[in-house]
Amino acid sequence: MYIPGLDWSNLIVAEPGAAYQFEASQSKRWIEVLVDCPGATGIYTYKLPKEMLSIQPGDILSVPFGTQQVGAIAIRLLERPPANLATDKIREVEDIISAGFFSSIYWELLQKVAEYYYTPLMQVIKVALPPGLLGKSQRRIRLKPEITLSADVLSTTARQVLQLLQAQSTGDYSITYLQRQVRGANRGVKELLRRGWVESYLEAPKATKPKLQKAVTLVGSGFETDVTPRQREILEILRRRGGDMWLSELLQVSNANSSTVKALEQKGYVVIQEREMLRAENSPQLAADAPKTLTPAQTQALAAITSLNGAAQVLLHGVTGSGKTEVYLQAIAPLLARGQSALVLVPEIGLTPQLTDRFRARFGDKVCVYHSALSDGERYDTWRQMLTGEPQVVIGTRSAVYSPLPKLGIIILDEEHDSSFKQDSPIPTYHARNVAQWRAELENCPLVLGSATPSLESWVGLKDKETRRQGDKGGRGDRYYLSLPERIGARPLPPVEVIDMRHELHLGNRSIFSRSLQTALQEIQATQQQGILFIHRRGHSTFVSCRSCGYVVECPNCDVSLAYHHAEIGASQMLQCHYCNYVRSHPRSCPDCGSPYLKFFGSGTQKVAQELAQQFPQLRIIRFDSDTTRTKGAHRELLTRFANKEADLLVGTQMLTKGLDLPQVTLVGVIAADGLLHLADYRASERAFQTLTQVAGRAGRGEDSGRVIIQTYTPEHPVIQAVARHEYEPFTAAELEQRAALNYPPYGRLILLRLSSTDAEQVEQVALNIASILRSPEATYEILGPAPASIVRVANRYRWQILIKLGDAANLPNWDEVRSHCPPVVSLTIDVDPLNMM
Ligand code: ADP
Ligand code: ZN
Ligand code: ZN
């Protein structure tokens, strides 16, 4: 068992007193462990020897595995061995390497996730722990320095082991070496351990030595005369990033090669040196940031949060730009001072650079970033950092909810309404908000859910409940609702203008930009302000169709049309499937009738950017979508350029809605809101309201007031109307009424069974079969389906669904039975509380 890079020599807890205490009351004599050894993929059961009944989940043990001694993490104590194992075949735990390495709460949490989401524990562990955390490592034995030894009392083997260790200058050997040299070395080692003359520890594996990296530091004055334009560009980038960057990052951002940077070193403008790099995400050095003087509303919210006791839950409902982040920062500061840690969960990595910078500016290197896009090495290092137990702030996406932070003082879920907190695949299909709630309860620490547009779940669970039973201390701890109803500096929320695009067409405007938006774009350019344009889709056009025969070019693997992407580099034009990433070249003529008249329909970010370039050639544009932010650090780079006013307009998708704080933005335009409104999903309205409110919230966050223009073909739609008036509560009340009438969440619970197979007939048959089993006479739940998924075929797999609606008193299906009716060729996922119904 190793945690790479961790200094294992500090982890010894071989205090004989603690480890060998005998607790007669302990009735649990078996333990499930996670074995750390290639080839050991599952959870194994071992027997606890009498002297090790004190073992607790989270301890690190040494166990026999095959012919080796390997490290293992204790997961769960059992009162009796599993029925399928003969008791005398179960081997005994060898030794306790480190007690209390993970808290036992941690394993309770993982078990809870496994239970609630009907997922094998091992799958949950795979999501929670970094891959490769459980690698092979060497158990070593070393002499304790300060002990006076007298070999006379020892058995022969123990004496031989002792002599070997004494002969070695460091007094230290691997257990495998000792086993090779001395027959029955294990017995001898045990004897020495019992006397407390030696200790055992795990060696840090070689592969995880600290990583050295080249860093570039600016030493120039800023008045360089003898540099090429290219070299000046590099110096500029360095200066913007605070004068210090990793070489690799600099090369990537500047697209230069290392000889250009070396030339700068020779001219004495920069220094390149090797430095240890924790493989966690790096950011530019930031000017330290002092706490702001809070507004009265912020002060109230902060006071409420800091006075919380135990596992309280809080909904912090603050309009966009109301200063929620500042409240988080000031709630965390005193915890760190007390030696506790904080966990901050955010929806997507796109917005973390900015948020992370704000945290780093306040808390320096106490901040570490954790998300699934980190490399394995970075994940190891971040774990290493977390397991030190030093007070720290972990900022991460949904999987960071499993960060092994000891002494957790608070959990914050920012933008809690965001659906990227939910994992659709692979299993477990968990929602980080649920897991955070359990974790807060287990750790007995407060949980703060922040949003300008709270999910209906949180609204009902925290606002409604709080108003109904104030002061009620029962249940899952106290629940509170806090509100920041105004923007900082009493800035108004931006006025929203809704443009009826039918009317525009009627007046003869065929452009994708309404007259209002055109004027507004000219204005920001004239006044040197900045704007954001939101488009629902990336790419150029959503589909390509033949004008002569109506043929639509479709994906050969999925039941969807291909989107047209205009090549940025080179001349090739291509069609791409947004479901399976299939790519083909753009046909010159209709594959069906040969007509050359192919037309693009629907606008994506690319097409909007193109049209802008035609109509507003002076306007400088940055596209911000998953196509332009694919490379590491691209989000940061694009946003930095925008913040430096290297562009007038940011054109992008969903990503723009997630918490960006760009004070210079005065205009927000939504090209076609309709794409969001008409989805066949009971959550479509809620989601559309959230997205549009959030994107509108990017306008007017600074000194200059902002405005929002929403273009739509259905201006009368209730979602559009509610967004235009900034009316969260009335919209939510109406939406909740509908949900209640149909017993949909947050009132009734849903479970979605997803079935898929390459065999269309078989999956249908299995779906019918399982549905009929579920419809047993004693079932108190409601079954909808089976039905084909709204896009039946994706990546050549045919997909069917069964929806289970659970009422209040519903019993649950017998999942083992359900699974037993699903042959291996059909894959079955049980999605508990599904968000994505497609
Ligand atoms: P939210 O997260 O609620 O959208 P932010 O926390 O991003 O809002 O705050 C909006 C802006 O107001 C940020 O630029 C932030 O630095 C600033 N701000 C927050 N609180 C204060 C304060 N008390 N005084 C001055 N500026 C503040
Ligand atoms: Zn045709
Ligand atoms: Zn496809």
Side-chain angles (χ1 to χ4, degrees), residues 555-560 562 577-582 793-796:
C555 175
N557 310 319
C558 313
D559 294 334
V560 295
L562 294 176
C577 172
H578 285 179
Y579 286 81
C580 73
N581 287 327
Y582 167 87
R793 194 176 47 123
V794 169
N796 278 324

Side-chain angles (χ1 to χ4, degrees), residues 64 129 187 217 253 275 286 416 436 439 466 577 676 786 798:
L129 273 54
R187 254 180 299 122
T217 312
V253 168
R275 220 186 291 153
L286 298 155
E416 65 84 31
R439 184 152 192 194
E466 201 228 26
C577 172
L676 289 167
Y798 296 84

Side-chain angles (χ1 to χ4, degrees), residues 424 537 579 678-682 687 752 754 788-792 794 799-801 831 834-838:
D424 283 342
R537 294 206 165 82
Y579 286 81
H678 311 297
L679 296 170
D681 186 329
Y682 76 96
R687 219 172 274 160
L752 184 67
R754 303 174 193 276
S790 58
I791 299 168
V792 179
V794 169
R799 303 158 351 124
W800 279 69
Q801 300 181 338
D831 189 352
L835 283 191
N836 175 10
M837 312 289 281
M838 302 295 266

Side-chain angles (χ1 to χ4, degrees), residues 292-294 298 321-326 358 488 661 701:
K292 297 188 163 59
T293 312
L294 297 182
Q298 281 176 320
S322 59
K324 294 184 288 295
T325 313
E326 186 63 32
R358 278 169 83 176
I488 294 296
D661 182 33
R701 296 168 72 92

Side-chain angles (χ1 to χ4, degrees), residues 138-424:
Q138 275 280 1
R139 181 175 171 230
R140 298 182 69 91
I141 303 294
R142 71 174 162 221
L143 284 175
K144 282 207 188 166
E146 66 288 355
I147 307 272
T148 2
L149 311 163
S150 72
D152 312 346
V153 294
L154 292 176
S155 69
T156 323
T157 47
R159 197 175 319 132
Q160 282 171 328
V161 170
L162 188 65
Q163 277 162 0
L164 272 175
L165 290 172
Q166 283 174 318
Q168 165 76 323
S169 59
T170 54
D172 181 328
Y173 271 122
S174 76
I175 191 89
T176 17
Y177 177 82
L178 294 171
Q179 282 165 344
R180 269 205 306 277
Q181 300 299 317
V182 180
R183 273 182 76 107
N186 276 352
R187 254 180 299 122
V189 167
K190 262 193 184 160
E191 195 177 325
L192 294 171
L193 279 171
R194 207 162 39 237
R195 287 184 181 278
W197 292 358
V198 300
E199 54 194 3
S200 73
Y201 69 103
L202 287 184
E203 173 188 40
K206 304 272 179 302
T208 60
K209 289 274 144 54
K211 186 171 162 192
L212 288 180
Q213 270 248 353
K214 288 202 172 109
V216 188
T217 312
L218 195 64
V219 290
S221 56
F223 297 102
E224 304 87 3
T225 46
D226 54 341
V227 293
T228 65
R230 194 82 186 97
Q231 291 168 346
R232 182 174 306 283
E233 219 174 289
I234 289 176
L235 292 172
E236 269 320 302
I237 292 176
L238 260 174
R239 203 161 282 135
R240 275 211 305 273
R241 302 294 188 95
D244 190 77
M245 279 173 87
W246 297 109
L247 178 60
S248 52
E249 197 192 356
L250 178 61
L251 296 180
Q252 197 200 350
V253 168
S254 65
N255 254 324
N257 53 28
S258 52
S259 61
T260 322
V261 184
K262 286 226 179 73
L264 282 171
E265 186 181 33
Q266 272 152 19
K267 291 180 179 170
Y269 293 132
V270 302
V271 179
I272 305 175
Q273 87 233 92
E274 292 227 310
R275 220 186 291 153
E276 181 185 345
M277 163 145 135
L278 263 187
R279 281 161 293 193
E281 194 186 344
N282 294 285
S283 72
Q285 287 180 355
L286 298 155
D289 172 36
K292 297 188 163 59
T293 312
L294 297 182
T295 63
Q298 281 176 320
T299 310
Q300 232 176 11
L302 178 67
I305 292 172
T306 45
S307 69
L308 293 176
N309 258 326
Q313 285 184 31
V314 177
L315 177 58
L316 180 60
H317 183 186
V319 297
T320 53
S322 59
K324 294 184 288 295
T325 313
E326 186 63 32
V327 175
Y328 304 152
L329 289 165
Q330 298 200 22
I332 290 171
L335 295 176
L336 294 176
R338 287 207 299 267
Q340 289 183 300
S341 289
L343 181 56
V344 181
L345 300 174
V346 295
E348 233 164 76
I349 216 49
L351 86 135
T352 28
Q354 226 197 1
L355 188 83
T356 320
D357 288 355
R358 278 169 83 176
F359 275 79
R360 285 220 171 100
R362 194 67 61 86
F363 302 125
D365 55 11
K366 286 201 177 72
V367 175
C368 74
V369 179
Y370 190 78
H371 53 82
S372 54
L374 294 179
S375 71
D376 287 355
E378 290 168 334
R379 293 235 252 168
Y380 288 146
D381 287 0
T382 312
W383 266 61
R384 157 187 164 183
Q385 179 67 34
M386 293 192 269
L387 284 165
T388 58
E390 294 286 316
Q392 55 201 295
V393 183
V394 171
I395 301 177
T397 49
R398 64 173 179 246
S399 65
V401 75
Y402 303 111
S403 308
L405 277 173
K407 293 178 254 167
L408 200 51
I410 195 170
I411 306 177
I412 292 164
L413 234 103
D414 192 28
E415 313 289 351
E416 65 84 31
H417 61 276
D418 199 290
S419 54
S420 36
F421 283 121
K422 172 73 164 45
Q423 173 152 310
D424 283 342

Side-chain angles (χ1 to χ4, degrees), residues 641-807:
R641 278 175 45 203
F642 190 67
N644 289 342
K645 292 220 163 183
E646 289 173 37
D648 309 303
L649 201 60
L650 203 55
V651 178
T653 50
Q654 210 76 356
M655 256 175 218
L656 291 172
T657 64
K658 308 199 175 193
L660 291 181
D661 182 33
L662 302 163
Q664 331 81 305
V665 171
T666 52
L667 172 69
V668 163
V670 176
I671 293 296
D674 308 82
L676 289 167
L677 298 173
H678 311 297
L679 296 170
D681 186 329
Y682 76 96
R683 281 183 196 267
S685 287
E686 182 188 0
R687 219 172 274 160
F689 177 80
Q690 289 163 348
T691 304
L692 291 173
T693 303
Q694 293 288 348
V695 72
R698 300 314 111 202
R701 296 168 72 92
E703 297 286 308
D704 299 327
S705 60
R707 64 186 289 206
V708 181
I709 296 175
I710 298 182
Q711 304 188 164
T712 172
Y713 289 92
T714 46
E716 64 285 353
H717 196 288
V719 167
I720 304 280
Q721 289 300 317
V723 172
R725 298 195 201 110
H726 303 288
E727 281 184 340
Y728 173 87
E729 281 207 48
F731 168 78
T732 300
E735 189 65 20
L736 282 173
E737 227 168 85
Q738 293 184 15
R739 300 278 182 94
L742 297 168
N743 205 15
Y744 270 110
Y747 298 111
R749 281 184 57 209
L750 298 179
I751 298 179
L752 184 67
L753 302 191
R754 303 174 193 276
L755 296 133
S756 76
S757 167
T758 50
D759 185 332
E761 270 169 42
Q762 189 162 22
V763 66
E764 179 175 356
Q765 200 47 55
V766 171
L768 287 166
N769 202 3
I770 289 182
S772 72
I773 293 162
L774 289 170
R775 286 203 170 89
S776 72
E778 60 273 18
T780 53
Y781 40 80
E782 191 185 336
I783 307 287
L784 303 177
S790 58
I791 299 168
V792 179
R793 194 176 47 123
V794 169
N796 278 324
R797 294 186 72 87
Y798 296 84
R799 303 158 351 124
W800 279 69
Q801 300 181 338
I802 302 170
L803 187 64
I804 304 174
K805 261 182 164 178
L806 302 171

